[in-house]
Each structure stands twice: as structure tokens, then as C-alpha cells.
Amino acid sequence: MNNSIRELTLLQPDDWHIHLRNGDALATTVPHAATSFNRVICMPNLVPPVKNADDARAYRERILHQLADSNISADRKATFDPRMTLYMTDHTSVQDIEIAAKSGIVQAVKLYPAGATTNSADGVTDILACADVFAAMEKYNLPLLLHGEVTHAHVDIFDREKRFLDEVLVQIIANFPILKIVLEHITTSDAADFVLAQGNQVAATITPQHMMLNRNHLLLGGIKPHLYCLPILKRETHQKALLNVATSGSSKFFLGTDSAPHATDKKEAACGCAGCYSSPTALPLYATAFDSIGKIDKLEGFTSRFGAEFYGLPVNTNTVTLINTPMQVPTHYPYFDGSTLTPLMAGETLPWSIKG
């Protein structure tokens, strides 16, 4: 821990990977996100998915309508900017890409291998058959966001990310060398090393859970359903590797919470949902992780600069201040239909909090 820094003012962060969901869920997720972040890249795996620019525009309007109805401050409302993504399917067309790129609201295209995670049944079944779409994305400078796992039933769940790198991603990069790619929520040292070995067109996001926790936290003493996410937590060696690259000052790694709301009763079920909810406490979580190895002075690049620079967007000018004063993560948040959301590290005390 860096005991010399007791207070840290950062440029307001952005979240380059978040799930806000849809419908009644937005009443909770939108104000939580807007309190912490300026821009958020909204995942498109709704039911039905966000498949084209018209879907994206309608979804963004629903988010902004909920923002207007929320009780957060006027200045946070004024700076919140949800950036949309398209959900790539086997039927995504070159025209879909062109229209999205010219829309002004679609920031990227998300590729889920079919069956990889929540609401991914409509995902791509043959990634290497998407060449014309990748070429269009390259042409219109629309980044590709990847859930980087293979989904073959015979591949061990702990090996799926590395297999994706070796079998799929190397081919995409070889065939489309200037396509901007974000390997999202990386979980292994293999992924970190892979990203470092590529050119500036390849970057990665890292979640708080993957740099703070490992599979022992998930499994020892009984399964912890609120730590279950996809890609799944890996060994401690991978956790430490992610923390090291996140705090290294490399601009190839930036904040993406992958905050994913699931009602508590759906997580604590016989077949619990995959996803950790971290949006409202993300900044103290990341600060705690960085400070755990004395690198909190590297936090602003990761949270507030590198993502914007990768996407070619201006860095924010407003600020937020973190203070080295403990806070307790709430045990739950109210959710819709009388349910609750249990956040990542619920009930635990973090050494950093947001001032004011």
C-alpha cells in the first residue's frame, strides 16, 4: 500500500464494458453507472439483442429516458453518455456496419461466440466466416469487442480463453491487421502477454474481480455464487499477472467492469447466473486493487485516459476524488419487482471511498 497518498483526484472515468440490461432494470443500473462514469459502452445482449443502428438508437433513448427520471445530480446527468454496440450474428451485414459507423452513437461491434455467456444464443457460430463484416469494420474504423472464449463442450472451462487466442484471434489479426480489437474482461496471463505482443490496434479491458480474486475465492469453503462470472476466475498466478499489467502504465489495458446485474435469488439458485455487479463501487474496488501493490499513482491512466485514447475520443475534463477512508460495500441494492442486487464484495470493507 502506498501510504504517502491519502487523497487522489482523477479525471472522471469511463466504463468500456457494462451491462445495463433493459426494462425495469434500468431504474437501478443507469443511475448507478452515471454516478461513477461519464461514458459507458453498453453491451447489446438484450432479449432480443441490439442488432442494428435502429435497435441501438431505441435502446439509448430508453437509457436516457431513465436517466432523466433518476434523482442523481444534474451535473452527472449532463456528462453521462451511453455508447452503443451492435450484437454480431451470423446474419450481420456490411450495410449494418456502414449504417452503424455513420450513426454517431454506435461505438463498436460485440462478438459473442454462440453460447459463451448470458444471452449469447444468437452469437456467431463460425467466427472465421465473418470476413466481409470484419473488412467493413476495418474500413469504417469500428472496433471489434470480443468475448474471447471458445465454446466447444470438450474444452475445459479454465482453458477456453487461451484456446480462443491460439485458434481464433491469431487468425482474425492476421487477416485484418488494422482492425481495432478489444479483448474484453481478460482473465489469464496468456491473454495479457498476447495483447502486449500485438500492435496498438489490440487492447484489453480488465474487471475488478479478475484482478482482485481467483478461483480459490470462488470455490474454497463452498461455492460463492456472487463471484461466479464468465470468463470464470482463474488461478492466483493469473490474477497477479492481470494486476501487474493493469498497474504497469501500459495504455493497452483499461477499465471495463463487465458489471452485470442479476437478482440475488437468480444468483443464489440451483443454476446461478454468471456475472458480478460492481458498477456503483467500481472506483473504490479498482483503487483498492491498485493500492494493494503500491501502484495507486497509476490508476488514472487505466480508469480515465487509455480507453478514451484507444477509441479516439476526448479525455474527460471533469474529475472525481478518491480518499483513503474506509467504506463498507452495501450488502444489497433494491432491484425491480421487490428483488435485490448483491454487489461484488458485498458487506466487505474497502480502504478507499469516493469523497463527497
Side-chain angles (χ1 to χ4, degrees):
M1 182 172 292
N2 191 335
N3 291 317
S4 64
I5 297 177
R6 306 289 300 177
E7 189 171 300
L8 185 66
T9 297
L10 308 171
L11 295 172
Q12 191 75 39
D14 302 302
D15 189 346
W16 302 104
H17 183 133
I18 194 170
H19 296 269
L20 298 178
R21 304 300 189 214
N22 205 6
D24 292 337
L26 297 176
T28 300
T29 60
V30 170
H32 280 175
T35 298
S36 296
F37 303 106
N38 277 5
R39 289 168 294 218
V40 294
I41 287 193
C42 305
M43 292 298 105
N45 56 332
L46 310 181
V47 181
V50 177
K51 295 182 180 180
N52 54 53
D54 287 341
D55 293 343
R57 191 171 290 105
Y59 183 34
R60 188 170 190 270
E61 287 173 358
R62 294 194 296 275
I63 293 168
L64 293 176
H65 178 77
Q66 188 58 64
L67 179 71
D69 287 347
S70 71
N71 59 3
I72 67 170
S73 67
D75 65 318
R76 296 307 306 132
K77 288 181 180 180
T79 57
F80 187 61
D81 181 14
R83 308 300 299 168
M84 299 293 103
T85 54
L86 296 193
Y87 185 116
M88 185 185 290
T89 74
D90 290 337
H91 307 292
T92 300
S93 69
V94 169
Q95 185 179 31
D96 290 332
I97 300 302
E98 180 181 2
I99 294 170
K102 294 176 178 178
S103 70
I105 60 166
V106 175
Q107 196 69 57
V109 177
K110 180 63 182 276
L111 192 157
Y112 294 98
T117 188
T118 304
N119 298 340
S120 62
D122 290 326
V124 173
T125 58
D126 183 359
I127 293 172
L128 299 179
C130 299
D132 57 340
V133 175
F134 292 151
M137 292 169 61
E138 207 172 39
K139 175 181 178 180
Y140 293 106
N141 195 30
L142 201 60
L144 173 66
L145 312 184
L146 289 170
H147 182 111
E149 293 186 291
V150 298
T151 56
H152 314 304
H154 66 277
V155 178
D156 188 284
I157 192 171
F158 292 101
D159 298 332
R160 291 182 172 191
E161 184 173 89
K162 186 175 190 311
R163 291 284 294 271
F164 184 90
L165 301 174
D166 295 342
E167 297 172 12
V168 181
L169 187 52
V170 289
Q171 296 190 60
I172 297 175
I173 292 172
N175 290 323
F176 304 96
I178 62 171
L179 176 63
K180 280 192 166 185
I181 295 173
V182 180
L183 189 60
E184 299 199 293
H185 45 51
I186 62 170
T187 66
T188 60
S189 59
D190 307 282
D193 291 342
F194 184 94
V195 171
L196 284 169
Q198 308 307 313
N200 291 334
Q201 86 283 11
V202 179
T205 58
I206 308 177
T207 73
Q209 65 264 25
H210 287 111
M211 68 171 72
M212 297 180 78
L213 304 167
N214 58 64
R215 64 191 193 183
N216 277 356
H217 296 102
L218 172 67
L219 298 171
L220 282 182
I223 296 172
K224 316 298 190 305
H226 298 290
L227 302 185
Y228 172 56
C229 59
L230 291 173
I232 199 165
L233 296 172
K234 304 299 195 298
R235 294 179 181 272
E236 183 184 29
T237 53
H238 295 298
Q239 173 205 341
K240 288 182 175 179
L242 297 181
L243 184 57
N244 285 334
V245 295
T247 60
S248 69
S250 169
S251 61
K252 295 174 74 69
F253 304 94
F254 41 84
L255 185 157
T257 62
D258 193 19
S259 182
H262 294 282
T264 300
D265 65 312
K266 297 295 192 296
K267 291 284 289 178
E268 299 173 1
C271 185
C273 304
C276 298
Y277 190 66
S278 59
S279 180
T281 53
L283 300 186
L285 287 167
Y286 281 116
T288 298
F290 275 59
D291 202 25
S292 71
I293 58 170
K295 295 287 189 68
I296 198 163
D297 58 308
K298 300 292 188 181
L299 187 62
E300 185 179 69
F302 178 85
T303 61
S304 313
R305 291 186 180 277
F306 301 151
E309 291 166 356
F310 178 85
Y311 280 101
L313 297 170
V315 173
N316 296 319
T317 55
N318 58 322
T319 61
V320 60
T321 298
L322 292 162
I323 188 166
N324 193 196
T325 299
M327 66 159 286
Q328 186 176 40
V329 178
T331 56
H332 65 276
Y333 298 101
Y335 206 32
F336 66 94
D337 288 343
S339 62
T340 62
L341 281 176
T342 300
L344 181 66
M345 316 265 297
E348 298 192 31
T349 299
L350 303 177
W352 287 87
S353 53
I354 298 174
K355 187 176 183 180

